[in-house]
Amino acid sequence: MSTIVHPPSIDRMAAWPALAPLIERAGRKLVVDALRAWADARRGAPEVADAAACAHWCEARLSALVQPSQRRVFNLTGTVLHTNLGRALMAEEAIEAAVAAMRSPTTLEYDLSGGGRGERDDHIAPWLCRLTGAEAATAVNNNAGAVLIALSELAGGQAGGAREVIVSRGELIEIGGAFRIPDIMARAGCRLIEVGTTNRTHLKDYAAAIGPETAAIMKVHPSNYAVQGFTKTVSAAELVPLAREKGLVVIEDLGSGTLVDLETWGLPHEPTAREAIASGIDVVTFSGDKLLGGPQAGLIVGRKALIGRIARNPLKRALRLDKVRLAALEATLRLYADPERLVKRLPTIRALARTPDEIRAQAERLLPAFAAALREGWQAGIEAVRGQIGSGALPVDLLPSFALSARGKGLDKLADAFRQLPIPAIGRIANDTLLFDLRTLDDEAAFLTQLSSPVFGGGAPQGRRGS
Ligand SMILES: *Cc1c(COP(=O)(O)O)cnc(C)c1O
């Protein structure tokens, strides 16, 4: 004789008092779905339903849904502009502007003086022109989009065949996220003409490649790698006269594209958009969320006639920015009007400008709590490390910094425990040491609060100063 006990109906289970708090938090629909899954999971099981166990099971199942998928984390990787962790943090001014734009209708494309239609680029173009010295500017979704639309408009073969764009073999880059210059060229409807070699390209290489189908010469910032040793690249100052003589457009993909001289804060030089414009480049593209420190965007500055054509290209409509990011971008650019305020207000510059001494002092403040948070057997310490700007800027120049370090058995497990914190802390493992580079630790109080978490077992301080 079989003794199968059928689970109670979903409706009856949903009425169990044990489930009421979960229904209150997650909503009835999600809880009913979880109950169905629970009933399916024990179909035919000869046991009588236990309301408390069921509530517990549903709660665990729904916890992933109830909390946001995109979580706040501590970026302690040592890479200031970490693409996988969302790149630049925005200034409070930009955050406020974005929130205000989200809440209300705005003059996104509306001219208050005449009551007619306005241009969305008008909110940011005057700032970009002022900050780069360019005649005109426009903005799209990201720099990959900026390169795509610029190439498509200035060298793409919409009507006839694809036209040619000359690029040095030393600049045919791939950056993270499958952005490769040859692929973008093809999608933009251009024919890529490679010149020179990986390590050396001369002006005569460009000159020899120019033919009747050539539309443009393109320079690309090598971003995430450096060619060192026996090398030769052709500067804009050399290229521009050649291009003028042949009636060609010169495009430069700056990548990170800073608007200020990083040397102001003791950092190595990174090419600015203003320098590119001053050297005669016709169209310059760069990202909004790398060194510029704003929202994701692709900024295009240059000659008025060329920018006008790009802004009228149908791809512009497909790649345009929304009011929220435009508001944040405008507020970010406005900060650049006052360079003194910049280092206080812009988190990216603030993090880059921190001195090793300042970071070491922070590490010393945090070490006792950090050491106390580790279980017995771990050796906590402070280590001199080198971080990076990230997102393609200065790939070789490393930023001297200090990190909290942990050594012991099972580094991966410890790193995982830090990732399971309410605000996950993301570090890096190098030389059998788990490192938390503090250059980018802004919210020290929140980090400290978490160190008493039971994830690490609490307990008495175990740390000693590392070597
Ligand atoms: C980062 C980068 C890009 C892509 O920019 P996104 O804003 O991420 O689309 C393109 N070119 C270079 C040289 C870069 O460094």
Side-chain angles (χ1 to χ4, degrees), residues 11-85:
D11 278 345
R12 268 185 47 216
M13 290 193 290
W16 283 340
L19 281 164
L22 189 57
I23 290 175
E24 180 65 31
R25 258 188 301 137
R28 188 181 157 84
K29 167 86 177 68
L30 286 178
V31 175
V32 164
D33 288 350
L35 285 171
R36 279 214 181 88
W38 185 80
D40 282 349
R42 60 205 51 227
R43 184 131 307 183
E47 61 180 67
V48 180
D50 169 350
C54 171
H56 192 73
W57 190 92
C58 291
E59 179 127 18
R61 185 179 172 90
L62 290 182
S63 68
L65 279 176
V66 170
Q67 84 173 334
S69 161
Q70 193 178 168
R71 306 255 309 272
R72 173 190 174 186
V73 299
F74 284 110
N75 169 19
L76 305 177
T77 59
T79 301
V80 176
L81 295 166
H82 198 300
T83 295
N84 303 141
L85 302 180

Side-chain angles (χ1 to χ4, degrees), residues 87 142-144 173 175 179 220-221 223 253 255-256 287 289-290:
R87 292 193 185 161
N142 58 11
N143 187 34
I173 60 159
I175 62 161
F179 175 89
V220 184
H221 190 284
S223 283
D253 174 12
S256 207
S287 294
D289 58 349
K290 293 184 178 174

Side-chain angles (χ1 to χ4, degrees), residues 114-243:
R117 197 173 181 284
E119 280 295 328
R120 60 178 76 199
D121 280 346
D122 288 351
H123 302 291
I124 44 103
W127 282 110
L128 285 168
C129 291
R130 190 192 150 96
L131 295 165
T132 63
E135 292 171 8
T138 184
V140 292
N141 178 62
N142 58 11
N143 187 34
V147 173
L148 177 71
I149 192 174
L151 285 172
S152 165
E153 178 57 39
L154 304 176
Q158 285 88 4
R163 299 193 64 202
E164 295 171 358
V165 179
I166 303 173
V167 184
S168 160
R169 290 199 169 88
E171 298 176 6
L172 286 177
I173 60 159
E174 169 177 321
I175 62 161
F179 175 89
R180 308 174 105 187
I181 292 293
D183 297 343
I184 292 281
M185 284 276 175
R187 292 287 168 168
C190 310
R191 201 131 36 87
L192 169 65
I193 303 294
E194 304 175 18
V195 296
T197 61
T198 305
N199 58 329
R200 289 173 71 83
T201 302
H202 305 272
L203 187 62
K204 63 176 193 283
D205 295 328
Y206 286 98
I210 296 171
E213 290 306 315
T214 309
I217 296 176
M218 185 176 184
K219 278 187 73 63
V220 184
H221 190 284
S223 283
N224 48 9
Y225 76 99
V227 182
Q228 286 177 328
F230 186 53
T231 64
K232 167 90 176 83
T233 59
V234 181
S235 70
E238 294 171 272
L239 263 186
V240 166
L242 173 68

Side-chain angles (χ1 to χ4, degrees), residues 30 39 96 108 110 155 166 177 210 225 229 263 298 336 351 384 403 446 450 459 467:
L30 286 178
E96 278 165 26
L108 177 63
Y110 190 82
I166 303 173
I210 296 171
Y225 76 99
E263 287 170 84
Y336 279 88
Q450 296 206 113
S467 47

